[in-house]
Amino acid sequence: EPEVTQTPSHQVTQMGQEVILRCVPISNHLYFYWYRQILGQKVEFLVSFYNNEISEKSEIFDDQFSVERPDGSNFTLKIRSTKLEDSAMYFCASIGIYNTGELFFGEGSRLTVL
Amino acid sequence: KNEVEQSPQNLTAQEGEFITINCSYSVGISALHWLQQHPGGGIVSLFMLSSGKKKHGRLIATINIQEKHSSLHITASHPRDSAVYICAVAPREKLTFGTGTRLTIIP
């Protein structure tokens, strides 16, 4: 069964460092999303991406965050200068070509900022 | 007030019991999702509903658009059903998530 894959599964970084989280969506999917979940809290929307541009973003997604799809397969989330409060599980998700609405999630990347 | 409210927050039941998890929302939506989050953190989509009822194996999801309410039912529950079940609603593209219901099924 096709799946969304995310790397790394866990990253530990120092505050102020740049982090790039990578996602490989299912190959024929067109809509991509990043969500995050701070430990013990609910999942929160960060950004949606379609046709090589951001289609919607939350108030969390400030200038420190960026997304891109550099090579037609990878979908990356970059945090330029990490803060302690960026520690969370980050989930990538995608929706298929016919946009049935069913979301396919990756296993998540756990980011720990020290 | 949260846009998505789930109840109960925690539920412990014996294997074989019929389980119901409820979700109420306060915004207009185009769809409602039920998701399952495993202890390791991974999220799996169970259902996407815009009306009526869907069934997949032992899982049944219903939605009442007028009442802004959805339920997830599990028949003949099993310990492997133990997980956090999350309701999320889609007013537009961005999903708004509930806090989840932690379900524990005891053998």
Side-chain angles (χ1 to χ4, degrees):
Chain A
E1 185 174 318
E3 60 181 18
V4 176
T5 56
Q6 288 186 241
T7 55
S9 56
H10 188 193
Q11 181 160 352
V12 181
T13 191
Q14 293 289 327
M15 189 169 57
Q17 295 295 304
E18 177 183 282
V19 162
I20 296 176
L21 305 179
R22 292 183 168 79
C23 170
V24 180
I26 296 170
S27 61
N28 63 352
H29 283 193
L30 298 177
Y31 300 82
F32 312 114
Y33 305 85
W34 282 102
Y35 298 91
R36 80 170 187 191
Q37 185 178 33
I38 295 171
L39 187 64
Q41 297 186 22
K42 63 183 179 181
V43 180
E44 300 171 291
F45 168 80
L46 288 178
V47 65
S48 58
F49 191 86
Y50 170 71
N51 202 23
N52 287 322
E53 61 183 27
I54 291 173
S55 51
E56 190 168 357
K57 60 183 181 179
S58 73
E59 55 276 8
I60 302 167
F61 195 88
D62 61 21
D63 291 345
Q64 291 300 311
F65 290 88
S66 63
V67 289
E68 62 176 7
R69 197 156 181 245
D71 56 13
S73 61
N74 290 289
F75 177 50
T76 62
L77 174 69
K78 181 192 290 186
I79 309 174
R80 289 192 182 82
S81 178
T82 50
K83 303 187 283 286
L84 296 177
E85 54 265 37
D86 294 326
S87 295
M89 182 77 97
Y90 290 81
F91 292 100
C92 173
S94 65
I95 289 177
I97 188 167
Y98 296 111
N99 194 5
T100 60
E102 182 182 3
L103 273 169
F104 292 81
F105 284 85
E107 286 292 310
S109 293
R110 182 170 299 283
L111 176 65
T112 302
V113 182
L114 302 176
Chain B
K1 184 181 184 302
N2 291 326
E3 290 178 309
V4 182
E5 298 274 0
Q6 285 187 239
S7 62
Q9 288 189 324
N10 294 283
L11 178 58
T12 300
Q14 293 287 332
E15 182 174 357
E17 285 190 41
F18 181 81
I19 303 298
T20 295
I21 298 170
N22 295 300
C23 175
S24 296
Y25 53 91
S26 58
V27 295
I29 66 169
S30 58
L32 181 144
H33 296 253
W34 280 104
L35 310 167
Q36 181 190 54
Q37 186 167 30
H38 297 291
I43 296 176
V44 174
S45 176
L46 299 175
F47 294 103
M48 188 196 71
L49 295 161
S50 52
S51 64
K53 176 179 172 178
K54 285 189 177 180
K55 183 176 190 292
H56 182 68
R58 294 180 295 106
L59 302 179
I60 303 165
T62 63
I63 188 168
N64 184 317
I65 297 291
Q66 287 74 29
E67 295 185 4
K68 295 186 174 169
H69 181 269
S70 175
S71 294
L72 176 68
H73 305 285
I74 305 175
T75 61
S77 58
H78 190 275
R80 65 175 174 266
D81 297 326
S82 297
V84 175
Y85 292 83
I86 302 171
C87 170
V89 299
R92 296 180 305 279
E93 279 194 53
K94 79 176 221 185
L95 286 182
T96 301
F97 292 76
T99 53
T101 295
R102 183 174 301 277
L103 175 65
T104 304
I105 303 297
I106 300 170

